[in-house]
Amino acid sequence: MELVRGLHNLRPRHRGCVATIGNFDGVHAGHQTILERLRAHSQRLGLPGCVVIFEPQPREFFAPKAAPARISRLRDKLELLEAQGVDRVLCLAFNRRLRELSAEQFVQQVLVDGLGVRHLEVGDDFRFGCDRTGDFAYLEQSGQRHGFSVEAANTIIEGGERISSTRIREVLDSGDFSQAERLLGRPFSITGRVLHGQKLGRQLGAPTANIQLKRLRAPLNGVYRVSTVLDGVLLKGVANIGTRPTVEGDGRPHLEVHLFDFSGDLYGRTLTVMFHEKLRDEQRFDSLDALQAAIKADFAAARARWGL
């Protein structure tokens, strides 16, 4: 899969494609249906399939502190899109210049001059352009003028509700990982590189791997029963995601994972942590002794669930 960062990196060879546009946060089961249709049109027309995404995501640009937590970071999203058979991703920097493009300018500069789109697949509620003035009807009219077809992606329903990134965040927040797996089409996981931390866990008798989140906000908060695969071996453990209120920190969310019955150097390695069950909310303790007692209780609860 080819990644093109910005309109200025598009070349004449990139013109002529089948495209879809969106955040594609999580690349969930609803997104996967859109991408399946993209592949079908790509094969029918003999053209590459292109996904147009934005970085940062629009809501992160307009209100970064109020923006929803990301289900997947950019690197994960790209890997998931590649696994779905996407040929090319155009990642547009969402900045003031892009935000101020009118709907007409967006169509002309991105879809026509930039990509030479022959077919466009979008949701029927898709809005674009300055002040969100462009909509599906405008795209249909533009397609007639510029020679590309437009099709509305069907809403995918599961359990009587629309599959969406918003719904998945709600399900994750409730700790229903079985439902999250159905909506995502895979178990929910977080991938990141293990960094050096404060090493407080060692002092408390519970060494942890401090995993880089690279998110403005985390989609989870609390203590969880988790697992990861390392060198082909499934390792079970406990993870904490939060701001670590008992100890002084930087106020940002951190992911710390303790793997049962494991000893070894994980620094610099990339781990994918799969979440299975929420054990409790993160909380502030009055002392490190109280924190240590809570950690021991978490380990015991997780081991009992795992049957260890």
Side-chain angles (χ1 to χ4, degrees):
M1 184 183 78
E2 181 184 14
L3 171 63
V4 181
R5 286 184 173 270
L7 283 177
H8 62 285
N9 282 319
L10 287 173
R11 300 293 180 262
R13 64 182 178 82
H14 293 126
R15 300 192 76 253
C17 68
V18 174
T20 185
I21 309 172
N23 288 323
F24 285 87
D25 187 22
V27 192
H28 54 62
H31 295 143
Q32 291 163 30
T33 299
I34 295 174
L35 296 174
E36 183 179 354
R37 292 172 57 153
L38 188 75
R39 289 195 305 272
H41 286 292
S42 174
Q43 293 169 5
R44 177 176 61 84
L45 295 173
L47 295 170
C50 178
V51 176
V52 181
I53 61 174
F54 306 97
E55 190 66 29
Q57 295 178 169
R59 290 179 67 180
E60 293 171 347
F61 172 81
F62 288 111
K65 292 184 179 180
R70 287 203 186 195
I71 300 170
S72 57
R73 59 181 184 163
L74 177 60
R75 175 176 291 183
D76 301 327
K77 183 190 300 186
L78 294 173
E79 290 177 355
L80 291 166
L81 289 172
E82 184 173 21
Q84 290 294 315
V86 173
D87 298 304
R88 183 179 301 139
V89 170
L90 171 61
C91 183
L92 298 177
F94 198 94
N95 50 28
R96 180 169 295 180
R97 182 178 179 182
L98 184 67
R99 177 252 181 272
E100 291 177 351
L101 288 182
S102 67
E104 181 180 5
Q105 289 171 324
F106 184 90
V107 169
Q108 187 67 50
Q109 294 181 26
V110 178
L111 301 183
V112 179
D113 296 339
L115 292 173
V117 168
R118 293 279 303 282
H119 175 80
L120 185 64
E121 191 85 14
V122 294
D124 58 9
D125 59 349
F126 178 67
R127 304 298 295 259
F128 66 100
C130 185
D131 299 324
R132 294 166 56 86
T133 54
D135 57 12
F136 184 79
Y138 183 85
L139 282 174
E140 285 187 309
Q141 296 167 10
S142 299
Q144 292 172 6
R145 290 196 304 272
H146 296 287
F148 62 85
S149 56
V150 183
E151 189 172 22
N154 293 331
T155 296
I156 307 303
I157 304 297
E158 197 281 335
E161 293 186 61
R162 176 176 176 266
I163 297 179
S164 67
S165 300
T166 299
R167 185 181 174 202
I168 292 171
R169 292 186 194 97
E170 294 169 351
V171 168
L172 290 173
D173 187 58
S174 73
D176 189 347
F177 293 104
S178 295
Q179 177 74 333
E181 182 172 352
R182 287 191 290 273
L183 298 176
L184 286 167
R186 64 184 185 279
F188 175 74
S189 64
I190 292 177
T191 298
R193 190 161 59 92
V194 179
L195 305 176
H196 288 275
Q198 295 177 314
K199 298 180 174 59
L200 179 62
R202 291 184 182 180
Q203 301 174 34
L204 299 175
T208 59
N210 185 37
I211 296 177
Q212 193 175 30
L213 280 175
K214 282 200 170 181
R215 288 171 168 85
L216 296 175
R217 293 176 57 197
L220 299 176
N221 183 276
V223 180
Y224 299 87
R225 181 167 60 92
V226 301
S227 66
T228 187
V229 176
L230 188 66
D231 297 329
V233 177
L234 179 69
L235 299 174
K236 301 170 182 177
V238 170
N240 181 88
I241 296 186
T243 57
R244 301 179 295 194
T246 305
V247 298
E248 286 191 21
D250 54 15
R252 295 181 300 165
H254 293 263
L255 169 58
E256 297 174 298
V257 180
H258 174 79
L259 300 175
F260 295 140
D261 308 316
F262 172 82
S263 61
D265 186 1
L266 294 173
Y267 292 120
R269 300 195 64 170
T270 297
L271 292 185
T272 295
V273 182
M274 293 170 285
F275 292 78
H276 304 286
E277 179 185 11
K278 186 171 185 177
L279 299 176
R280 64 173 174 85
D281 291 328
E282 186 181 47
Q283 60 190 100
R284 185 184 185 282
F285 295 95
D286 294 331
S287 66
L288 290 181
D289 288 340
L291 173 60
Q292 186 176 36
I295 290 173
K296 288 182 178 179
D298 295 333
F299 288 2
R303 282 185 176 275
R305 296 284 204 283
W306 284 120
L308 300 177

